[in-house]
């Protein structure tokens, strides 16, 4: 019985410690997210369509056969043999040789479509990871803010109790006592608001992961990011520009949205060539062979095979073909302009994201200093207030400053992680080490 109770306690302890961590949440999101699953199925369909197009390049063959029964016997010409049944089979093989380039261009279009589908799936995967991380960080941030709100409410209650004693002893005015009571009420309202914000963000994460309930999230240690935060804190504008350039080079190669725009230009260029091919002749090779047997014969007659070349030259309507070329040319120009716009937008987004990341890193450091100073100041002010050396208004001013610094520290770190997650998505990679290696090089030249 004792061993059984120990086992139960060990299991309970394991589950209480087994909080959901970021990597586990990421794997759940990649497995359950409906948008990502839809993109995956679309990608599979694109690959199947690619193979279907490739197979159209190969020769096509068909076999047909039939049996004919006559009501009356017939006499075979130049013979005394009678028959009332006829068996026949035919084999036809077609091989396209030239169709205005449509066969090979069609295969190229299918390949481009498959590449676009791959990039779309990659984009959906990166967006899923980025959204998951932001939601995860949001819960942790709101949880930290909730803990701060709880502690601040308890501190406010203590200050109000001290103010009550001072008011009853006549060393504090009623206005001062009312100020302390009002501040406590505000802290209670703030706690309710932060609690609602925390629960809403938690529900959002649960819904995103398709989980009924998340009991606990594993916190992320800020100590693991101290080295890169320190480097970013000390960066100047020249180093930031160098950082932008390095990240931009990766983004230009790997960003899926940019890759899709580039592939769209290639696709429309092939479509233009295909439209121009409508003015060219088509050439197909055909081979046919048939077998015939009357019902009185034991074996089929092997007829001579026929090999032919079919040539078709388009004559009318030339206007329709010309308009199709014009439409294809317009779409190609549109794709080129869209590519230029996408390049500019991606470049701007990467620059903004780098600046946000650096700004968040600097904010983390500054907010920690502000917290240290405000905490020391607040502790002194509480002592002064207890000894009647300052007014309630002066204490509340120090308390507001201290609360603001606490909140800034809690939000700054998770804002940095969110900015970093957004930057990774723009770079077109889910490997955090790619960005970490770049950050590690800061200040080494």
């Amino acid at each position: 019985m004792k061993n059984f109770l120990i086992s139960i306690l060990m299991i309970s302890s394991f589950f209480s410690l087994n909080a959901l961590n970021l990597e586990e949440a990421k794997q759940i999101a990649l497995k359950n997210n409906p948008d990502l699953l839809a993109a995956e199925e679309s990608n599979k369909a694109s690959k199947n369509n690619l193979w279907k197009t490739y197979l159209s390049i190969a020769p096509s063959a068909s076999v047909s056969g039939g049996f004919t029964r006559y009501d009356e016997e017939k006499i075979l010409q130049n013979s005394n043999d009678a028959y009332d049944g006829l068996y026949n089979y035919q084999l036809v093989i077609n091989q396209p040789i030239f169709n205005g380039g449509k066969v090979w261009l069609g295969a190229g279009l299918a390949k481009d479509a498959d590449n676009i589908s791959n990039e779309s799936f990659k984009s959906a995967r990166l967006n899923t990871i980025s959204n998951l991380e932001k939601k995860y960080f949001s819960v942790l941030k709101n949880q930290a803010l909730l803990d701060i709100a709880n502690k601040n409410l308890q501190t406010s209650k203590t200050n109000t109790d001290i103010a009550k004693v001072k008011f009853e002893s006549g060393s504090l005015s009623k206005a001062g006592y009312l100020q302390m009571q009002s501040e406590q009420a505000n802290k209670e309202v703030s706690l309710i608001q932060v609690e609602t914000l925390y629960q809403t963000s938690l529900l959002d994460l649960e819904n995103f992961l398709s989980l009924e309930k998340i009991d606990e999230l594993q916190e992320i240690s800020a100590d693991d990011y101290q080295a890169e935060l320190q480097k970013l804190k000390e960066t100047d504008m020249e180093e930031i520009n160098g950082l932008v350039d390095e990240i931009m080079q990766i983004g230009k190669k790997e960003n899926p949205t940019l890759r899709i725009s580039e592939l769209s230009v290639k696709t429309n260029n092939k479509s233009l060539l295909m439209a121009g091919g409508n003015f060219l002749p088509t050439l197909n090779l055909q081979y046919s062979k048939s077998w015939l047997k009357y019902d009185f014969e034991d074996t089929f007659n092997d007829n001579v095979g026929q090999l032919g070349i079919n040539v078709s030259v388009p004559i009318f309507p030339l206007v329709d073909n010309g308009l199709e070329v014009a439409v294809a040319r317009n779409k190609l120009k549109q794709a080129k302009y869209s590519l230029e716009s996408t390049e500019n937008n991606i470049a701007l987004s990467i620059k903004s994201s780098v600046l946000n990341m650096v700004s968040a890193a600097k904010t983390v450091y500054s907010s920690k200093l502000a917290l240290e100073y405000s905490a020391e100041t607040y502790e002194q002010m509480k002592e002064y207030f207890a000894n009647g050396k300052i007014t309630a208004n002066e204490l509340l001013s120090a308390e507001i400053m201290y609360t603001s610094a606490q909140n800034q520290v809690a939000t700054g770190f998770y804002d940095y992680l969110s900015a970093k997650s957004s930057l990774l998505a723009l770079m077109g990679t889910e490997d955090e080490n790619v960005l970490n290696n770049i950050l590690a090089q800061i200040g080494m030249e």
Side-chain angles (χ1 to χ4, degrees), residues 280-316:
L280 301 176
T282 60
L283 185 64
N284 295 284
L285 184 67
Q286 184 182 81
Y287 173 77
S288 63
K289 188 176 180 61
S290 61
W291 293 264
L292 183 68
K293 184 175 81 71
Y294 297 99
D295 57 356
F296 62 83
E297 293 179 313
D298 295 328
T299 59
F300 283 90
N301 299 316
D302 189 1
N303 293 335
V304 177
Q306 297 179 357
L307 179 64
I309 295 179
N310 299 323
V311 180
S312 175
V313 180
I315 299 179
F316 296 107

Side-chain angles (χ1 to χ4, degrees), residues 20 105 118 163 167 169 172 216 228 287 387:
L20 181 67
L105 287 172
N118 290 337
F167 170 68
S169 65
L172 181 67
E216 185 180 357
E228 61 189 64
Y287 173 77
N387 295 327

Side-chain angles (χ1 to χ4, degrees), residues 148 152 183 187 374 398-408:
I148 292 171
N152 287 339
E183 184 62 22
K187 289 288 195 301
S374 62
E399 184 177 342
I400 292 172
M401 181 175 62
Y402 178 51
T403 300
S404 176
Q406 286 178 299
N407 291 338
Q408 188 61 58

Side-chain angles (χ1 to χ4, degrees), residues 190-204:
S190 296
L191 178 61
I192 295 172
Q193 292 174 338
V194 175
E195 172 71 28
T196 302
L197 190 63
Y198 167 71
Q199 292 296 338
T200 301
S201 62
L202 185 59
L203 285 172
D204 187 31

Side-chain angles (χ1 to χ4, degrees), residues 139-209:
V139 174
L140 291 180
K141 179 174 68 175
N142 291 330
Q143 182 177 326
L145 293 175
L146 182 60
D147 292 339
I148 292 171
N150 270 309
K151 292 176 182 178
N152 287 339
L153 177 59
Q154 295 305 317
T155 301
S156 183
K157 288 181 178 179
T158 301
N159 290 338
T160 303
D161 291 339
I162 294 174
K164 181 180 180 181
V165 173
K166 293 173 66 63
F167 170 68
E168 292 175 347
S169 65
S171 59
L172 181 67
S173 66
K174 185 175 182 181
Y177 179 45
L178 289 174
Q179 276 186 301
M180 302 303 292
Q181 287 180 313
S182 175
E183 184 62 22
Q184 179 182 331
N186 289 333
K187 289 288 195 301
E188 291 172 349
V189 172
S190 296
L191 178 61
I192 295 172
Q193 292 174 338
V194 175
E195 172 71 28
T196 302
L197 190 63
Y198 167 71
Q199 292 296 338
T200 301
S201 62
L202 185 59
L203 285 172
D204 187 31
L205 179 61
E206 290 171 346
N207 179 69
F208 190 79
L209 295 176

Side-chain angles (χ1 to χ4, degrees), residues 7-206:
S7 300
I8 293 295
L9 290 173
M10 290 178 63
I11 294 173
S12 300
S13 175
F14 170 78
F15 280 106
S16 64
L17 296 175
N18 193 29
L20 181 67
N21 61 42
L22 181 58
E23 185 59 33
E24 291 170 341
K26 189 182 299 183
Q27 295 305 316
I28 294 173
L30 293 176
K31 181 181 178 181
N32 295 341
N33 186 267
D35 292 333
L36 181 60
L37 294 176
E40 184 178 9
E41 293 302 320
S42 176
N43 192 34
K44 291 178 181 178
S46 176
K47 294 187 183 303
N48 291 332
N49 187 63
L50 177 61
W51 281 109
K52 177 183 176 182
T53 305
Y54 283 161
L55 291 174
S56 68
I57 300 175
S60 62
S62 63
V63 177
S64 60
F67 171 71
T68 304
R69 170 70 66 182
Y70 299 98
D71 292 337
E72 297 179 357
E73 284 190 344
K74 295 181 177 291
I75 303 299
L76 189 62
Q77 189 176 7
N78 300 325
S79 171
N80 294 325
D81 297 324
Y83 66 93
D84 60 1
L86 175 65
Y87 298 87
N88 65 85
Y89 295 94
Q90 185 178 33
L91 170 66
V92 178
I93 300 176
N94 287 291
Q95 172 62 60
I97 299 176
F98 181 76
N99 286 288
K102 292 182 179 179
V103 174
W104 294 102
L105 287 172
L109 287 172
K111 180 60 178 176
D112 288 343
D114 181 56
N115 289 332
I116 289 175
S117 179
N118 290 337
E119 295 299 329
S120 296
F121 176 64
K122 178 182 178 181
S123 178
R125 184 178 173 91
L126 289 173
N127 287 334
T128 299
I129 293 174
S130 181
N131 289 334
L132 177 277
E133 289 178 340
K134 291 177 182 178
K135 294 177 187 296
Y136 190 97
F137 300 149
S138 178
V139 174
L140 291 180
K141 179 174 68 175
N142 291 330
Q143 182 177 326
L145 293 175
L146 182 60
D147 292 339
I148 292 171
N150 270 309
K151 292 176 182 178
N152 287 339
L153 177 59
Q154 295 305 317
T155 301
S156 183
K157 288 181 178 179
T158 301
N159 290 338
T160 303
D161 291 339
I162 294 174
K164 181 180 180 181
V165 173
K166 293 173 66 63
F167 170 68
E168 292 175 347
S169 65
S171 59
L172 181 67
S173 66
K174 185 175 182 181
Y177 179 45
L178 289 174
Q179 276 186 301
M180 302 303 292
Q181 287 180 313
S182 175
E183 184 62 22
Q184 179 182 331
N186 289 333
K187 289 288 195 301
E188 291 172 349
V189 172
S190 296
L191 178 61
I192 295 172
Q193 292 174 338
V194 175
E195 172 71 28
T196 302
L197 190 63
Y198 167 71
Q199 292 296 338
T200 301
S201 62
L202 185 59
L203 285 172
D204 187 31
L205 179 61
E206 290 171 346

Side-chain angles (χ1 to χ4, degrees), residues 307-358:
L307 179 64
I309 295 179
N310 299 323
V311 180
S312 175
V313 180
I315 299 179
F316 296 107
L318 295 179
V319 175
D320 287 353
N321 292 337
L323 289 174
E324 187 174 346
V325 171
V327 170
R329 185 177 291 112
N330 291 334
K331 288 185 176 180
L332 176 59
K333 290 181 179 180
Q334 178 187 0
K336 289 180 178 179
Y337 289 133
S338 295
L339 173 59
E340 183 180 352
S341 176
T342 301
E343 288 175 339
N344 293 334
N345 290 334
I346 294 299
L348 178 61
S349 297
I350 288 177
K351 289 178 183 179
S352 299
S353 191
V354 170
L355 290 174
N356 287 337
M357 182 183 68
V358 174

